[in-house]
Amino acid sequence: MSTLVARISAEPPRRRAALSGTALAGLVLAALAALPLAAEAAGLPFLVVTATRMMIFGLAALSLDLVLGYGAMVSFGHAAFIGLGAYAVGILDAHGIRDLAVQAPAAAVTCALFALVTGAISLRTRGVYFIMITLAFGQMAYFFMVSLAAYGGDDGLPLSGRSTLFGMRLIEGDPALFYLVLAVLAVALLALRRVVASRFGRVLRGSRDNAVRMQAIGFSPLPYRLTAYVIAGAIAGLAGVLLANQAEFVSPAYMSWQRSGELIVMVVLGGMGTLVGPVVGAAALIALEEVLAHYSDHWRLGLGVMLVAVVLLSRGGLAGLAAKIGRRA
Amino acid sequence: MLNLFLIQALNGVQLGILLFLVAAGLTLIFGVMDLINLAHGALYMIGAYLAATLTAATGSFGLGLLLALPATLAFGLALEVLVVRHLYGRDHLDQVLATFGLILILNEGVRIVWGAAPMSVPVPDALSGSVHLVGTLHYPLYRVAIIAAGLATALGLHLLVNHTRLGMRLRAGASNGPMVAALGVDIRRLFLVVFGLGAMLAGFAGAMVAPILSVDPGMGDSVLILTFVVIVIGGVGSVRGAFVAGLLVGLADQLGRTFGPILLRSVMDASAASQTGRTLAPMLIYILMAAVLFFRPSGLFPARGSR
Amino acid sequence: MTPIRNASRLATALLGATLLAGPAAAQGQGEGSGKVRVGLMFTLSGPSAVLGEQGRDGFLLALDTLGKKLGGLDAEVVTVDDELKPDVATNKARELVKRDRVEFVVGPTFSNVLRAVVRPVTEGGAFLISPNAGTSNYAGAECNPNLFVSSYQNDQVHEVLGKYAQNKGYKRLVLLAPNYQAGKDSLAGFKRSYKGEVVNEMFTPLGQLDFSAELAQISAAQPDAVFAFMPGGMGVNLVRQYRQAGLSTIPFLSAFTVDESTLPAQKDAAVGYYGGANWAPDLDNPQSKAFVAAYEKKYGSVPGTYAMQAYDAALMIDAAIKRAKGDLKDKDAIRAGLKAAEFQSLRGSFKIGNNHYPIQDFYLVKAAKRSDGKYETQIAEKIFSNYQDNYAAECKMK
């Protein structure tokens, strides 16, 4: 499809990187696990909240990477899944069902079904049409939630409190929620690593790089793309479950098209088709927002300039720019 | 009930015409340059702000509108040369990112230059009354003027696209771009002209609605999404498709908004019906779009023969 | 070097840089003695920003008058914009309480935002003073010991107009409000004192600026009068489009639609239209006159109830801290002080009820052009005296 994707896929396998990556991952995990204690000691307990948000959006960006980075499907409606997941929590909560053991599967199944139906229609189209039809489905979900007056409509829905886990109020505190999100993110990351390394993942990447060749050797890309779309939807739904718990509030705004745009930015900023990259990208974008917003109301201007500059200054997209920086460093 | 239908149909046409004005340029940009330009709605916003400022400066809406047109054209041309030009032939994802960045820049820029509070433009005195239709029915004269101006523009575009040399190149570019370039047409200039024209049309639409809507940062975002729907339903690259789809979307939205609740009222109580119906209306458009794409994945009037 | 790893490196570098800058940005710790931290949360962007700006300016004016002190303590103010987005507001409220560690939050402007911030603020241990939004749920069963409202219960202003419509003998009405909590409260309040027929009840998306669909229905229904609740930019557009649609023969009653925040844009189009309020700039008492003069001098525009209520919120906090002798840790004393409301309200008669909502007078007001060319609302008649909302009995607090 593109220069950007071609460039990434043209790279040799990254076995060496993966090995050193394991040690690095352990180190990062240990550092993250110590964060709540360190933040408390430094008198900055709010850092935990920010870090939790980073990881939640990291999880969502990670799921988008499966679609965008490995499937080369530019989905502009991914935020809808976050919203649906969040609403699964909100709506169940409003009916007195507060346990994650029910909420999380409900969210994942709802999102998987929504992804199955919309994906089946969207994947009939390609290119610009795919971008716009996913956008339209996202907007449709958005307006559906806006219309659900019984569950707050436009105004959103405050939760009665954070979810319980098997009847216990485990994630009442911010550090506890932080550890839960960290665990979910780590599991999702490992699981998706296996998925992309599996036969399924190889077909998906093969279809991305050369759909005609894959078809010639007997693989129809559609079922693989659809499966990836559904898996990504379900994971984004889990991110929504966590987001609802973090904010203790559910709102249609979670599924606005700007949010979908931001998710794409996170994935591309961090590096498409790398799984870890989008998580870092999400953290970077949220950190940027936190800090810039503190200095100026007009922080979005800075983000916009950065995006345009990054695309314009690099021949092969963001990855190309990073390569340039890397060579210089 | 019939009266209501008539008025809502007129409102639908007015919205449809407006969407067409924005969509016409964008569909050509998609079709001819294969560029996905998320910032097109921002040009609509810029048009509205320029018209508001120039109206305030000159004291006349007519003059303000007249000056806003070349101003948005110039803005569009500058944008093309500075940023957009470098996105032709790039990956769609790069285009999405860069133009998403442009939206952030332009929305924020407008907030910095004009402030966050909305601006308002008075309706010109000559057009501030209402037209008597039938019985007790009145329709605002200014909205009639929007419809008329939009239809005139549509006619002009039709002539331009179908009966001029430029139009021929446009159509050729939309159906097979590389071939046009191979035949020796200066594709750079063609692209510049198309982008400028599209910007001016969007700016014109923005300037026209300035007196009936308040002008605020972010006004382009809502229009952008509706415009996408119009383009996808109409078929990328087709001005005729944009016209038909614009009217379709405008009518579906306006009639759905009013008659949805009325139909729902027979099955639920008035305030619940009104709330549900009002928000089902915007969904209706997307359902329409999904349905069209399901049966015709390239829209109603696909301009491009084969891709 | 693979591009992939380098893309991550770029992001990592960004992340590192911003995290380093983070702690610098996250200032505001340390229990400085003799200091009180107040978070202001208003809608400062979008079409309804004028309302929030009035609230913020009103509070800051009060602070100036009090010598930048509240109850004798140096006041430190953090202002945030809720963007009229409940999801944004809920995060920012948490930031104010947990990161900036404010003792009081004053805000928000809109009721849907109020619902999103009550829990994060009050459960975070701060007091929430709402200078405008006053939803029915918090006035009744969900009343909250750490939530105080310095404005009114939303329904009350609408009850004023319902009573007026009833008194005028209108038989068939069309009602119009945005689709959010205050909009629903508005129509509920109106119908409490208006007993005639409601031909049509219309809810529009919050922030909608094109009323052609609604005006078409009004034109088709030909009611005796229209009652609308359309705050901020929505009201500006509605009033202008109402005239353009040729509907000005149908009387137009409204709440928060024609007031000091919208009049500068509506100008003559709104003159003569009626509204309801708990105060108007021409209210005849010395503190109110001084406030209006000071506000106009400092900000160059006529203050509306939004500014007045935020000004009173500052006085309320000032009085509470004084009563607690400056001890911010003694939450019970502060709460008792807020409830006692020992200050001279700009409204004159003002008390806080058991549900922490005010008990006050309400007036029918009329938009007018002043001799200096500015527009303001003026009191036409007093409709209710020392009026308490209808939900107070459902609140268990004493």
Side-chain angles (χ1 to χ4, degrees), chain C residues 57-341:
Chain C
D57 294 347
F59 188 92
L60 294 179
L61 181 64
L63 214 52
D64 279 356
T65 320
L66 296 168
K68 311 270 186 207
K69 281 178 191 295
L70 288 170
L73 306 179
D74 287 328
E76 198 176 90
V77 174
V78 187
T79 309
V80 295
D81 175 13
D82 62 39
E83 300 172 32
L84 191 41
K85 292 176 185 156
D87 59 308
V88 171
T90 195
N91 279 324
K92 290 197 174 171
R94 200 164 282 128
E95 276 176 28
L96 281 177
V97 175
K98 289 197 177 161
R99 189 182 69 195
D100 304 327
R101 304 196 183 159
V102 299
E103 281 96 5
F104 297 90
V105 174
V106 177
T109 314
F110 284 86
S111 302
N112 54 336
V113 179
L114 179 69
R115 275 172 76 249
V117 302
V118 165
R119 283 195 52 225
V121 173
T122 58
E123 287 176 13
F127 287 100
L128 180 62
I129 319 286
S130 171
N132 192 48
T135 53
S136 53
N137 57 330
Y138 295 119
E142 292 177 55
C143 61
N144 185 318
N146 291 346
L147 166 68
F148 286 82
V149 172
S150 76
S151 49
Y152 42 73
Q153 196 282 313
N154 290 346
D155 300 10
Q156 293 178 302
V157 178
H158 312 288
E159 285 166 18
V160 169
L161 292 145
K163 188 123 194 294
Y164 175 74
Q166 185 72 16
N167 291 349
K168 276 288 229 182
Y170 295 135
K171 295 275 180 288
R172 298 172 68 251
L173 285 194
V174 169
L175 313 184
L176 187 61
N179 188 5
Y180 75 126
Q181 186 65 39
K184 291 160 208 164
D185 285 356
S186 153
L187 299 197
F190 185 86
K191 286 190 280 186
R192 193 169 296 123
S193 45
Y194 170 73
K195 303 296 174 205
E197 187 199 347
V198 173
V199 190
N200 195 352
E201 218 171 76
M202 292 183 280
F203 288 99
T204 61
L206 190 59
Q208 172 181 298
L209 296 173
D210 177 11
F211 293 95
S212 50
E214 290 73 22
L215 294 174
Q217 297 193 63
I218 293 171
S219 168
Q222 289 293 316
D224 291 344
V226 171
F227 168 70
F229 164 62
M230 283 291 158
M234 298 182 285
V236 173
N237 282 273
L238 178 63
V239 166
R240 274 164 39 186
Q241 292 169 21
Y242 194 81
R243 290 243 172 195
Q244 284 165 30
L247 293 174
S248 24
T249 47
I250 303 173
F252 185 80
L253 312 178
S254 65
F256 307 104
T257 306
V258 176
D259 61 24
E260 284 71 18
S261 70
T262 55
L263 276 169
Q266 293 162 333
K267 301 198 168 81
D268 289 332
V271 167
Y273 284 177
Y274 286 106
N278 52 357
W279 176 86
D282 71 330
L283 183 68
D284 196 10
N285 71 45
Q287 65 270 26
S288 173
K289 285 196 179 316
F291 160 71
V292 173
Y295 189 97
E296 288 188 26
K297 181 156 179 272
K298 185 159 181 200
Y299 303 109
S301 60
V302 186
T305 54
Y306 312 102
M308 178 278 290
Q309 288 153 182
Y311 188 96
D312 268 4
L315 298 186
M316 200 164 148
I317 295 174
D318 179 61
I321 297 177
K322 268 188 195 137
R323 215 181 122 116
K325 304 205 170 53
D327 184 2
L328 294 171
K329 293 220 171 58
D330 190 350
K331 299 284 178 199
D332 291 333
I334 299 277
R335 189 176 302 116
L338 287 169
K339 177 131 194 308

Side-chain angles (χ1 to χ4, degrees), chain C residues 339-387:
Chain C
K339 177 131 194 308
E342 288 165 341
F343 65 96
Q344 273 255 306
S345 166
L346 300 180
R347 284 161 263 193
S349 162
F350 179 87
K351 276 201 306 254
I352 291 286
N354 66 312
N355 56 353
H356 295 176
Y357 278 55
I359 302 172
Q360 59 193 324
D361 299 341
F362 286 91
Y363 310 89
L364 182 75
V365 299
K366 189 178 184 181
K369 188 174 189 173
R370 292 197 316 209
S371 50
D372 65 357
K374 286 186 178 157
Y375 297 82
E376 69 174 12
T377 58
Q378 293 175 349
I379 291 171
E381 59 181 288
K382 190 189 273 190
I383 303 277
F384 296 115
S385 289
N386 289 324
Y387 190 52

Side-chain angles (χ1 to χ4, degrees), chain A residues 71-119:
Chain A
M73 299 172 265
V74 184
S75 166
F76 212 133
H78 209 64
F81 299 111
I82 303 182
L84 286 177
Y87 266 96
V89 174
I91 291 173
L92 288 172
D93 178 84
H95 292 286
I97 302 169
R98 309 228 158 84
D99 207 280
L100 273 181
V102 181
Q103 290 173 342
V109 170
T110 312
C111 290
L113 281 177
F114 184 70
L116 185 66
V117 174
T118 59

Side-chain angles (χ1 to χ4, degrees), chain A residues 194-265:
Chain A
R194 304 206 104 183
V195 166
V196 296
S198 69
R199 178 174 165 280
F200 166 79
R202 288 201 302 273
V203 176
L204 192 63
R205 273 177 293 160
S207 313
R208 170 192 73 189
D209 299 341
N210 195 334
V212 179
R213 194 192 300 159
M214 288 311 282
Q215 262 167 332
I217 57 172
F219 290 103
S220 162
L222 183 68
Y224 292 89
R225 288 194 173 131
L226 188 56
T227 310
Y229 196 72
V230 169
I231 295 175
I235 295 178
L238 289 181
V241 171
L242 297 171
L243 183 64
N245 270 293
Q246 188 272 321
E248 296 181 50
F249 191 79
V250 174
S251 161
Y254 294 167
M255 43 205 343
S256 72
W257 68 275
Q258 288 94 339
R259 273 283 157 86
S260 296
E262 283 168 21
L263 284 175
I264 296 182
V265 173

Side-chain angles (χ1 to χ4, degrees), chain A residues 7-8 11 14 17 43-46 53-54 154-156 158-161 174 246-249 251 253-254 259 269-272 274 277 280-281 283-284 287-288 290-291 294-295 300 306 319 321-323 325-326, chain C residues 1-12 14-15 18-19 21-27 29 83 85-87 90-91 94-95 98-101 112 115-116 119-120 123 138 179-182 184 204-206:
Chain A
R7 182 171 272 267
I8 286 174
E11 294 307 317
R14 280 164 281 124
L44 297 167
F46 200 76
R53 282 181 70 78
M54 287 175 176
D154 269 349
D155 298 348
L159 300 190
S160 63
D174 290 330
Q246 188 272 321
E248 296 181 50
F249 191 79
S251 161
Y254 294 167
R259 273 283 157 86
L269 187 69
M272 293 198 309
T274 59
V280 180
L288 200 67
E290 289 278 322
V291 173
H294 216 91
Y295 291 112
R300 285 188 191 84
M306 196 188 82
L321 176 76
I325 293 173
Chain C
M1 283 290 143
T2 67
I4 304 134
R5 294 194 55 204
N6 282 308
S8 297
R9 177 173 295 179
L10 171 68
T12 313
L14 266 170
L15 180 60
T18 45
L19 281 184
Q27 281 299 317
Q29 0 292 339
E83 300 172 32
K85 292 176 185 156
D87 59 308
T90 195
N91 279 324
R94 200 164 282 128
E95 276 176 28
K98 289 197 177 161
R99 189 182 69 195
D100 304 327
R101 304 196 183 159
N112 54 336
R115 275 172 76 249
R119 283 195 52 225
E123 287 176 13
Y138 295 119
N179 188 5
Y180 75 126
Q181 186 65 39
K184 291 160 208 164
T204 61
L206 190 59

